[in-house]
Amino acid sequence: MNGSLVIVGTGPGKPELMTPATRAALAEATDLVGYGPYLDRLPSMPGQCRHASDNRVELDRARHALALAAAGRKVAVVSGGDPGVFAMAAAVFEAVESGDPAWGSLDIRVEPGVTAMLAAAAEVGAPLGGDFCAISLSDNLKSWATIERRLRAAAEADFVIALYNPASKARPHQLGEAFTLLRTVKDGTTPVLFVRAAGSADSKVVATTLAAADASVADMRTLVIIGASTTRRVGRWVYTPRGAKP
Amino acid sequence: MNGSLVIVGTGPGKPELMTPATRAALAEATDLVGYGPYLDRLPSMPGQCRHASDNRVELDRARHALALAAAGRKVAVVSGGDPGVFAMAAAVFEAVESGDPAWGSLDIRVEPGVTAMLAAAAEVGAPLGGDFCAISLSDNLKSWATIERRLRAAAEADFVIALYNPASKARPHQLGEAFTLLRTVKDGTTPVLFVRAAGSADSKVVATTLAAADASVADMRTLVIIGASTTRRVGRWVYTPRGAKP
């Protein structure tokens, strides 16, 4: 098998936030496999095949990519952001583990990228300046009880919390439930940031507090950051001091 | 004041992991301010002034950068990785808050980058495939009790844990203490990854288990990842399934 598979992330949106390493990997690929809207961001290359799929079929998409690589193609699996953060890299290794044993000897590598949390933080200042955690609110693949347990632990230990996948049409109520839970632990004055389309030309920030946070502000393209006890505003920025106090 | 200040991260090491946006910001700057080794990675530009400083003087460095911007210079503050993750962005906003009130009206922006955790994860597979947290083990600016509280909470809630600043000459014993604490909560078979100089030409991975992890493997350039209960090996890779099971 002379094929290969590279898993890349195109970054948060703007082309200038995609790494040159990822750009080179895309240019070398014979086949691009990914969710349609991510592929649509990329310029077309002569002779390169595109295999666009719907959202929420990650494992099928991963198997398709592995089968192409096993057939000798040079495949790039395309995620947004960083491919290792709530994206395609884990799905590819799940498919390797449960699939054709020959896939285990394929040439597979991962190229890191700028994940949405980092782009969102940069838009507002430095809210991730202290210890932080990243939680996906999607309960498609884990229980809501697990998510609640992690939210509570993160709040009690005073992490800054970045929420991926805060809402979708199929899950409109979970972010509100998360805020309700967090209000039982954290102060109402805690800064909350809704950053939509972070790192894109059309990014939009709503800065508020935990007491006032309205979950309906968030959609699938929103990254939500909930501050630690030390997170504060200075002018138009929000930041978390590196230590206990500035 | 016509000056400006942009806070950038050069990524984990390899030039091809620095974003084009950061490269452009560096090219436009009249002055670069940063820790010497980070500045040394960058090609010199005619007419551009470099202000290198020692490690652990972040607040002084931030004030110097702000004073230069207030004097009309176009300043780039240079971190490694992403500037908002255990790096210079928070220090700049701390300096704004506690410094000359005029600094609050400066043109300041942050450019996101690829932080070490993402580069380390990409080297080994997809260990950050589930919910995860990032903790700096440095107690220069926060208490060790706070760090222990966060380690325990992260372990009990089954986050993947990424440890920044796991060890330095001044703090040789903390990573061992962290492993001791984590062993009281997590299974000894939990994968532990030491990734030195992730995303650099000379990166090196040591993959082991929590029971066998030897803290002396880590130095200042090492990123340590401790898996969740579901984190597993498949072939030469380590990954965390997106949900409860693959």
Side-chain angles (χ1 to χ4, degrees), chain B residues 126-214:
Chain B
L128 305 178
D131 300 326
F132 62 91
C133 65
I135 300 174
S136 168
L137 277 198
S138 169
D139 62 353
N140 291 334
L141 291 160
K142 63 190 170 191
S143 71
W144 182 248
T146 294
I147 295 169
E148 286 189 322
R149 181 163 63 108
R150 290 178 181 163
L151 287 168
R152 184 175 300 281
E156 289 177 347
D158 203 20
F159 283 96
V160 179
I161 302 171
L163 297 179
Y164 282 74
N165 306 313
S168 73
K169 281 177 192 160
R171 300 180 292 103
H173 301 302
Q174 297 179 338
L175 181 59
E177 291 175 30
F179 285 150
T180 299
L181 184 158
L182 293 172
R183 286 181 191 120
T184 67
V185 183
K186 298 173 78 77
D187 200 278
T189 61
T190 303
V192 171
L193 303 154
F194 296 86
V195 188
R196 186 169 194 279
S200 298
D202 55 345
S203 70
K204 188 181 166 213
V205 174
V206 174
T208 182
T209 64
L210 183 56
D214 172 5

Side-chain angles (χ1 to χ4, degrees), chain B residues 15 61 110:
Chain B
R61 187 188 299 145
V110 182

Side-chain angles (χ1 to χ4, degrees), chain A residues 217-237:
Chain A
V217 169
D219 67 6
M220 278 175 66
R221 296 188 66 197
T222 306
L223 195 292
V224 180
I225 298 177
I226 297 120
S229 62
T230 52
T231 305
R232 64 188 73 207
R233 286 181 184 241
V234 52
R236 62 187 180 279
W237 302 288

Side-chain angles (χ1 to χ4, degrees), chain A residues 97 131-132 134 142 156 239, chain B residues 97 131-132 134 142 150 239:
Chain A
E97 186 171 12
D131 299 326
F132 61 91
K142 63 189 170 190
E156 289 176 348
Y239 83 101
Chain B
E97 186 172 13
D131 300 326
F132 62 91
K142 63 190 170 191
R150 290 178 181 163
Y239 83 102

Side-chain angles (χ1 to χ4, degrees), chain A residues 129-146:
Chain A
D131 299 326
F132 61 91
C133 65
I135 300 174
S136 169
L137 277 198
S138 169
D139 61 353
N140 292 334
L141 292 161
K142 63 189 170 190
S143 71
W144 181 248
T146 295

Side-chain angles (χ1 to χ4, degrees), chain B:
Chain B
M1 296 194 291
N2 291 313
S4 63
L5 191 153
V6 61
I7 312 160
V8 303
T10 58
K14 280 190 282 200
E16 58 268 35
L17 292 178
M18 187 192 305
T19 70
T22 290
R23 189 168 301 279
L26 290 168
E28 288 167 9
T30 59
D31 295 73
L32 304 187
V33 176
Y35 175 45
Y38 294 140
L39 296 186
D40 292 343
R41 286 189 198 166
L42 304 172
S44 63
M45 305 236 189
Q48 193 175 58
C49 297
R50 290 180 176 224
H51 309 266
S53 45
D54 283 343
N55 204 355
R56 294 184 58 180
V57 292
E58 291 87 355
L59 210 50
D60 290 342
R61 187 188 299 145
R63 291 187 183 116
H64 183 209
L66 287 159
L68 286 167
R73 310 290 293 179
K74 297 187 71 169
V75 181
V77 174
V78 181
S79 292
D82 175 278
V85 176
F86 307 123
M88 282 302 295
V92 168
F93 294 110
E94 285 173 36
V96 169
E97 186 172 13
S98 62
D100 185 337
W103 291 350
S105 48
L106 279 170
D107 171 12
I108 300 177
R109 68 189 170 88
V110 182
E111 282 290 348
V114 175
T115 185
M117 167 175 66
L118 303 182
E123 300 248 0
V124 298
L128 305 178
D131 300 326
F132 62 91
C133 65
I135 300 174
S136 168
L137 277 198
S138 169
D139 62 353
N140 291 334
L141 291 160
K142 63 190 170 191
S143 71
W144 182 248
T146 294
I147 295 169
E148 286 189 322
R149 181 163 63 108
R150 290 178 181 163
L151 287 168
R152 184 175 300 281
E156 289 177 347
D158 203 20
F159 283 96
V160 179
I161 302 171
L163 297 179
Y164 282 74
N165 306 313
S168 73
K169 281 177 192 160
R171 300 180 292 103
H173 301 302
Q174 297 179 338
L175 181 59
E177 291 175 30
F179 285 150
T180 299
L181 184 158
L182 293 172
R183 286 181 191 120
T184 67
V185 183
K186 298 173 78 77
D187 200 278
T189 61
T190 303
V192 171
L193 303 154
F194 296 86
V195 188
R196 186 169 194 279
S200 298
D202 55 345
S203 70
K204 188 181 166 213
V205 174
V206 174
T208 182
T209 64
L210 183 56
D214 172 5
S216 72
V217 169
D219 66 5
M220 279 175 63
R221 295 187 67 196
T222 306
L223 195 291
V224 180
I225 298 177
I226 298 121
S229 62
T230 53
T231 305
R232 67 188 70 208
R233 285 182 185 242
V234 53
R236 61 186 181 281
W237 302 288
V238 175
Y239 83 102
T240 303
R242 297 161 301 152
K245 40 188 167 177

